[in-house]
């Protein structure tokens, strides 16, 4: 038979080579530089304009991103509604200070607020004198702030020394009251700030709003808000709020978190979800009308997809305000009568359509219009710049989607011809069977899949609706809780989107935020707790694209050996600050070999334009699965260096598993001579 005995040494070599190929050990261990070439045409008129809106953010109320996150409110379940309207109800996460011999706490439906009738009733049995003396610190209730059901740390109120906090609550009593309002450490022993509210019986015989400013004497990241008394009687509380005075532009957003957003200069913000918009059941979906008006009057709701209560302090108005504060265009996703488990029939969808129309009027209607007037009363007479709405989220495959969609589409087109509408159905590989301005495209996949999807839109039809890649991310084991590997794949994907930005007009990573006390989804771009924050490598990738929206994409051709995993693009843009023109080249080396990349920039007049290097920025790390953390928040972040020897022809070395950007300044030769001359003249 054709059987040959193979010597052991040959077998060993074969084994070694196969192992090397599967684990790419040649690249990791041995110097194995590869070479490639990137040809960039920078001549006038080369390439195409990139939409102003290309890169933005998607904010979803998930992982306590808003309630207990971006929205700086420190009290959770401030109206005691979270336990439901059946009395008596659970007042979680409120807790009681004192025992049943000193006070009885329950709920009733006596609130002065029509849309949230539940109030807390506190019957104090002890006093500061007589036979039954109250404990020295008094008895009452406390609120530890927000938490995750499975959290290891239950307290996330952060109180900072020297900062002021506005505490507001509503109170009623049958007798005079003396209430201590304080922030204290998690065990109640350390008092961080306190004030006393004293009112006569007649002052509080009806519901009365109390307001007090507390200035913190010390810092404590695990604090709680306490309402206590040493006076016998019955007191009702409702709508208890504690807000730091120091918020972004004074609008209620937590400074450190919103600055992470402002730093990536998002051109749009899609909100408020995601599945949060749909709900597991329609009765638990986010409904904008329930989220506007005075905060005290908002009923709040239980988001049954991500399984937590929100008081809706961050409501529709605040989302629009957030967009304005970030100088980003708002993209409102509304419920189209479809949740994960139930659907409104198309024949009865009109009330939902009217709700969407009213929502648009609220955002941009004249202050004299019905809903524009409500917005104006909330302090924003000028319309918000709402130009885009998404009709539902991920509902394309659902039975009533097309029927419902068309009802919304027709009504909105008629009332607001300029509003751009986004369909849930993917039009990247075939034409949609319904009219739309944009189609939504979501992708969560492995690193290698996403990297190869840098070509996803290469063959998409150039006519018809444009793509909005409103959710993308590497998930699963490649991603961990935010790995370099995931970020590199995403960088490759984004370069692909940038190169196809004639059809892809908007893109955003998802999810944006996670409160580390309540991880509902992994990974996320920004991780925080009560007082710390860091960006995952996926967040830092987005920094490389800050200049892309509104820039010009240059024609760039990559010539590489087919085994190399490189993706590259080149853009040019003019800065508004100093009116300079730059070229930025971005390259992802997804492989495990280092690469010597020769870059040639053509099309520039050698007599009038010179290229000089400004900086080279690299995102990489020792291990592919490296992540950032509270302990090491900057383990995987871009590093910048000065770019020496930059020219129209140059070679750069790309590290294995890296994302590199190179900024070149287009200098006018004649200008340089003039500047040099004037310098030498003045220095003589
Ligand atoms: O981003 C997390 C979730 O993923 C979104 O809520 C949903 O749209 C998608 O399925």
């Amino acid at each position: 038979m054709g059987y040959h005995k193979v010597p052991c040494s040959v077998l060993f070599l074969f084994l070694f080579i196969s192992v090397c190929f599967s684990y790419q050990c040649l690249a990791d261990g041995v110097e194995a530089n590869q070479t490639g070439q990137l040809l960039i045409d920078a001549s006038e008129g080369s390439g195409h304009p990139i939409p102003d809106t290309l890169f933005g953010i998607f904010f979803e109320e998930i992982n306590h991103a808003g309630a207990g996150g971006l929205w700086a409110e420190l009290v959770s379940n401030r109206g005691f509604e979270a336990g439901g309207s059946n009395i008596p109800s659970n007042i979680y996460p409120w807790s009681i200070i004192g025992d049943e011999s000193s006070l009885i706490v329950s709920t009733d439906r006596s609130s002065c607020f029509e849309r949230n009738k539940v109030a807390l009733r506190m019957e104090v049995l002890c006093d500061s004198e007589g036979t039954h003396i109250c404990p020295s610190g008094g008895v009452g209730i406390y609120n530890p702030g927000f938490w995750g059901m499975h959290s290891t740390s239950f307290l996330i109120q952060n109180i900072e020394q020297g900062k002021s906090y506005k505490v507001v609550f509503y109170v009623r009593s049958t007798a005079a009251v003396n209430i201590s309002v304080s922030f204290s450490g998690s065990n109640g022993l350390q008092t961080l700030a306190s004030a006393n509210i004293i009112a006569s019986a007649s002052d509080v015989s009806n519901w009365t709003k109390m307001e007090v400013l507390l200035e913190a004497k010390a810092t404590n990241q695990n604090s709680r808000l306490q309402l206590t008394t040493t006076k016998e009687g019955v007191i009702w509380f409702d709508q208890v709020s504690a807000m730091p005075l120091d918020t972004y532009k004074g609008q209620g957003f937590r400074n450190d978190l919103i600055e992470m957003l402002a730093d990536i200069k998002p051109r749009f913000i899609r909100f408020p979800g995601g599945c949060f918009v749909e709900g597991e059941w329609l009765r638990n979906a986010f409904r904008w009308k329930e989220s506007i008006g005075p905060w005290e009057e908002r009923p709040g709701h239980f988001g049954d997809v991500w399984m937590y209560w929100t008081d809706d302090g961050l409501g529709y108005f605040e989302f629009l305000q957030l967009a304005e504060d970030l100088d980003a265009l708002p993209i409102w996703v509304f419920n189209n009568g479809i949740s994960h488990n139930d659907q409104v029939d198309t024949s009865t969808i009109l009330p939902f359509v009217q709700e969407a129309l009213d929502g648009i009027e609220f955002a941009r209607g004249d202050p004299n219009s019905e809903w524009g007037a409500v917005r104006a009363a909330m302090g924003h007479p000028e319309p918000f710049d709402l130009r885009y709405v998404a009709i539902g989220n991920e509902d394309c495959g659902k039975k009533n989607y097309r029927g419902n969609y068309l009802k919304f589409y027709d009504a909105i087109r008629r009332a607001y011809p300029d509003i751009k509408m986004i369909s849930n159905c993917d039009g990247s590989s075939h034409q949609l069977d319904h009219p739309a301005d944009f189609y939504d495209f979501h992708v969560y996949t492995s690193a290698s899949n996403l990297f190869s999807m840098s070509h996803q839109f290469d063959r998409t039809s150039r006519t018809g609706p444009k793509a909005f890649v409103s959710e993308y991310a590497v998930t699963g084991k490649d991603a961990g809780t935010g790995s370099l590997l995931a970020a590199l794949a995403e960088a490759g994907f984004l370069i692909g989107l940038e190169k196809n930005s004639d059809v892809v007009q908007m893109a955003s990573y998802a999810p944006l935020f996670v409160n580390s006390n309540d991880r509902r989804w992994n990974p996320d771009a920004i991780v925080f707790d009560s007082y710390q924050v860091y960006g995952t490598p996926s967040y830092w990738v987005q920094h490389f694209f800050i200049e892309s929206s509104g820039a010009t994409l240059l024609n760039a051709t990559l010539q590489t050996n087919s085994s190399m995993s490189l993706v590259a693009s080149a853009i040019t843009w003019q800065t508004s600050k100093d009116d300079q023109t730059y070229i930025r080249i971005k390259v992802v080396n997804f492989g495990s070999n280092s690469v010597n990349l020769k870059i040639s920039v053509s099309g520039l007049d050698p007599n009038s334009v010179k290229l000089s290097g400004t900086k080279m920025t690299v995102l990489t790390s020792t291990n592919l699965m490296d992540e950032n953390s509270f302990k090491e928040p900057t383990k995987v972040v871009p590093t910048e260096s000065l770019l020496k020897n930059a020219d129209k022809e140059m070679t750069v070395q790309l590290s294995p598993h890296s994302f590199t950007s190179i900024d070149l300044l287009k200098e006018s030769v004649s200008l340089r001579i003039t500047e040099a001359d004037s310098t030498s003249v003045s220095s003589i």
Side-chain angles (χ1 to χ4, degrees), residues 7 28 35 41 46 61 132 179 214 233 273 324 369 394 396 414 508 537-538 553 587 611 632:
D28 289 336
T35 53
D41 175 4
S46 148
E61 182 59 89
H132 191 174
I179 300 162
L214 296 182
E324 189 174 276
S369 63
E394 293 186 346
C396 180
R414 223 175 302 122
S508 44
S538 300
L553 180 83
V587 195
L611 285 182
E632 290 183 284

Side-chain angles (χ1 to χ4, degrees), residues 97 142 155 184-191 220 222-224 226:
I97 302 167
Y142 72 84
L155 305 152
S184 73
S186 59
N187 53 12
L189 296 179
Q190 182 196 17
T191 300
N220 190 321
N222 289 329
S223 70
R224 64 195 208 185
Q226 303 191 154

Side-chain angles (χ1 to χ4, degrees), residues 556-570:
T557 316
L558 195 57
Q559 295 178 337
T560 63
N561 171 324
S562 62
S563 69
M564 284 157 70
S565 305
L566 292 190
V567 176
S569 70

